Amino acid sequence: SPKRRMLYLVLASSTMRIAETVQLRKRDIEVKDGKVTIRIKAPYTKTKEARHTFITQEASEVLIPYLEKIKDDELVFGTNENVDFAKSREEQSFSGYRKKAGFCNCDEVGRKKCKGRYPTTTHHKISLHSFRSYSIKTINRIDFGLGNSLAGHGYYMKTYDGMELEEKRALYKQAEQNLSIFTSTKEMDDLSQTNVILQDEIQRLKLRMEKMEKSP
């Protein structure tokens, strides 16, 4: 669904846990000049420490229009005020998508023989936690530790405490191309540049037409 597509794009680029994400309300998300900053309150987190994180332009373009439709105190992603219920609902839904995508065959061969599970545990290789791991690793490749800091890992949070928000965002921006799922940042920039050129050409054509109409 469009709402879950939005959720997965946010999870894949934000380093957030699913339990943190389903607790977010509109008032926790700041939108300024098309840039999104998510402020995760201490009660939402596993470590009980507040932090902030970012999302890609790709995810922002889906999230911002949705935020405009809801009230400040409404849950953005959560389907229930009870965190455990909301988290369980998303895990169940993702389990269904995983089966449809062919990454789980528990129903056919049993849990122990499922091709999508690790051989020594009961966990699936691909889960909602995979989105968080993916974004942490991708950001860390640009600046080792920043991904862990945005994810709320204590040691790294202290290391980056002295850095301004926009400094962190600038580093995050360098990882954005690899965090984007459907379009890369470069492709989006190229499209924007092409649009500017086309608009300029259209304007010049209009001026030429106006001059032709005025000429005898």
Side-chain angles (χ1 to χ4, degrees), residues 102-118:
F103 293 109
C104 171
N105 61 341
C106 286
D107 293 343
E108 292 81 18
V109 299
R111 293 170 62 88
K112 291 183 179 180
K113 294 182 180 180
C114 176
K115 65 180 180 181
R117 290 180 180 272
Y118 290 107

Side-chain angles (χ1 to χ4, degrees), residues 114-138:
C114 176
K115 65 180 180 181
R117 290 180 180 272
Y118 290 107
T120 56
T121 72
T122 59
H123 300 296
H124 279 89
K125 297 173 184 176
I126 299 175
S127 67
L128 286 176
H129 184 75
S130 302
F131 291 106
R132 173 175 159 85
S133 299
Y134 171 74
S135 54
I136 293 172
K137 290 176 183 177
T138 302

Side-chain angles (χ1 to χ4, degrees), residues 172-191:
Y172 174 88
K173 191 74 177 175
Q174 295 178 42
E176 188 168 342
Q177 184 171 343
N178 293 324
L179 287 170
S180 298
I181 306 302
F182 298 103
T183 53
S184 71
T185 303
K186 183 178 184 303
E187 288 171 337
M188 287 187 283
D189 289 343
D190 289 346
L191 284 171

Side-chain angles (χ1 to χ4, degrees), residues 131-150:
F131 291 106
R132 173 175 159 85
S133 299
Y134 171 74
S135 54
I136 293 172
K137 290 176 183 177
T138 302
I139 299 167
N140 278 345
R141 290 192 186 104
I142 298 300
D143 186 273
F144 185 78
L146 179 62
N148 287 301
S149 174
L150 295 177

Side-chain angles (χ1 to χ4, degrees), residues 19-124:
E20 295 168 342
T21 310
V22 296
Q23 294 182 78
L24 291 174
R25 299 180 187 276
K26 179 181 176 179
R27 60 173 175 259
D28 300 319
I29 302 174
E30 178 185 305
V31 180
K32 187 176 181 181
D33 299 327
K35 296 183 291 187
V36 172
T37 303
I38 298 176
R39 302 188 183 279
I40 310 163
K41 294 179 179 177
Y44 299 172
T45 71
K46 185 177 180 180
T47 59
K48 301 306 175 188
E49 288 188 70
R51 69 181 196 279
H52 61 262
T53 190
F54 315 111
I55 59 174
T56 59
Q57 182 181 339
E58 176 183 61
S60 299
E61 289 177 355
V62 180
L63 177 63
I64 293 172
Y66 180 75
L67 293 176
E68 293 172 350
K69 299 175 184 177
I70 64 175
K71 298 177 182 178
D72 285 349
D73 61 344
E74 281 190 62
L75 291 169
V76 180
F77 304 102
T79 55
N80 196 299
E81 293 288 342
N82 184 298
V83 183
D84 292 332
F85 287 167
K87 178 185 173 185
S88 178
R89 172 74 180 273
E90 294 309 324
E91 288 173 340
Q92 288 174 13
S93 295
F94 188 76
S95 175
Y97 298 144
R98 183 170 52 213
K99 289 175 183 177
K100 288 181 180 179
F103 293 109
C104 171
N105 61 341
C106 286
D107 293 343
E108 292 81 18
V109 299
R111 293 170 62 88
K112 291 183 179 180
K113 294 182 180 180
C114 176
K115 65 180 180 181
R117 290 180 180 272
Y118 290 107
T120 56
T121 72
T122 59
H123 300 296
H124 279 89

